[in-house]
Amino acid sequence: MSALLGNPMVTTAALPLVLGMVMALLARGALPAPVLSLLWAGLLLFFYWNTLGPPVVPPVAASQKLIYLAFAGIVIGLLPERLLSAPMTSVLIVIVLAAALLWLGWRRIAGGSLDPQMVAALVAGLLAIVGSAMLMSLKVSPSPAVEEPFLVPAAMLALCLAGAIISVLGASIVTGQLLGSLAALAGAWCLVQYIAVLRGGTAVAWSKGNGLLLIFAAATVLIQVALLAPKANPAALVLSPLPLILAALMPGALRGLLPGVRPLRPLIAGLLIAIPAMLAILTAVLWAPHGAALGFS
């Protein structure tokens, strides 16, 4: 079993795909929402632990801080739903993610160097913070459109997939693996829910708490990539958090771009949300420094 879990292809893609499908199927059953939240929290910690190792006390390297940030996101995500639906939740998200950015990158920020890489990292971090707050502030409609349950998972999928490729090409393999696992979890969830829509049913949305803890995890790992992946492409970094903002705009400003055909609405919404991520991946691949994927130039 240890050899199987030590295989990066298993832990980065196959296992999270299977577990994401299991979670989607459990959500369609009678499992209570608090139990689902605890299962999501357990899955997150499993992938963090397996990829980054156990918590180090005190954490020194930025990668050692990520699991503590995951704990912080889980604590916030497990708050009662009525508190997470309050208007001040978006302010809390901004404060906590801003604190995470400062904690992860305080050495680089204190250094005072504003080279293109640092500027891109700060812009990407700020976009991730603003996008997360916008997305988590969306209100649940009394009669939600068919695409609405897919918005948060689709944004997470696009962000994590772009971040994983940028991270690997930017010579930060471990965070690339972690983002790849998170992308597979979200992608498997979307797949199961979309099959339900194609069969004439409705998709199950993530609760506010589940969405928050998963988006928080994705955003903090992306912030670390932006700050510390030594060869990450600056333009790709800036593009990678934009799916969060597009997903937040989908119920309002971008709703007119969706077709009237019910099964196509989630698909087109997902494609629109993924446009910045696709551009980020293309940019990272085309301008990747020679040998960056292996961590050397």
Side-chain angles (χ1 to χ4, degrees):
M1 178 61 74
S2 60
L4 187 65
L5 292 179
N7 187 325
M9 289 304 296
V10 172
T11 53
T12 304
L15 185 60
L17 272 172
V18 172
L19 293 175
M21 290 180 185
V22 170
M23 291 298 296
L25 292 171
L26 289 174
R28 301 195 66 82
L31 206 63
V35 176
L36 276 174
S37 297
L38 290 174
L39 289 176
W40 276 120
L43 281 181
L44 268 185
L45 292 178
F46 167 76
F47 285 110
Y48 272 75
W49 194 298
N50 188 66
T51 306
L52 303 173
V56 175
V57 183
V60 179
S63 60
Q64 297 169 350
K65 298 174 182 178
L66 284 176
I67 194 166
Y68 288 95
L69 291 173
F71 276 114
I74 289 168
V75 170
I76 298 172
L78 292 177
L79 291 173
E81 198 79 4
R82 58 183 178 80
L83 293 180
L84 295 177
S85 300
M88 290 300 292
T89 302
S90 57
V91 177
L92 175 64
I93 293 170
V94 169
I95 292 171
V96 178
L97 280 176
L101 187 153
L102 292 173
W103 192 37
L104 288 170
W106 69 269
R107 285 193 179 92
R108 286 203 65 191
I109 295 170
S113 173
L114 278 180
D115 54 24
Q117 193 79 18
M118 187 59 185
V119 171
L122 291 175
V123 172
L126 290 174
L127 287 173
I129 293 170
V130 171
S132 298
M134 289 175 62
L135 192 57
M136 290 296 100
S137 65
L138 288 178
K139 302 296 182 185
V140 178
S141 306
S143 301
V146 65
E147 71 276 2
E148 287 188 26
F150 292 93
L151 297 182
V152 177
M156 178 178 167
L157 169 60
L159 179 150
C160 290
L161 189 57
I165 294 173
I166 293 167
S167 183
V168 170
L169 293 176
S172 185
I173 308 295
V174 173
T175 47
Q177 286 182 244
L178 183 53
L179 284 168
S181 298
L182 297 179
L185 280 173
W189 174 280
C190 290
L191 176 61
V192 171
Q193 303 303 338
Y194 188 59
I195 290 173
V197 170
L198 290 177
R199 297 180 63 184
T202 58
V204 176
W206 281 343
S207 68
K208 186 71 75 173
N210 291 342
L212 195 152
L213 68 91
L214 290 163
I215 289 293
F216 185 88
T220 50
V221 181
L222 182 70
I223 287 171
Q224 174 171 325
V225 172
L227 286 167
L228 299 169
K231 300 175 184 177
N233 182 276
L237 287 173
V238 172
L239 288 167
S240 57
L242 293 181
L244 298 173
I245 296 175
L246 287 183
L249 295 175
M250 196 60 63
L254 299 181
R255 193 169 215 166
L257 299 177
L258 301 180
V261 182
R262 184 176 183 272
L264 288 180
R265 290 180 69 89
L267 190 61
I268 301 302
L271 289 174
L272 291 172
I273 290 168
I275 287 174
M278 291 187 285
L279 292 174
I281 292 169
L282 183 63
T283 303
V285 170
L286 290 179
W287 280 277
H290 174 68
L294 300 177
F296 59 86
S297 57

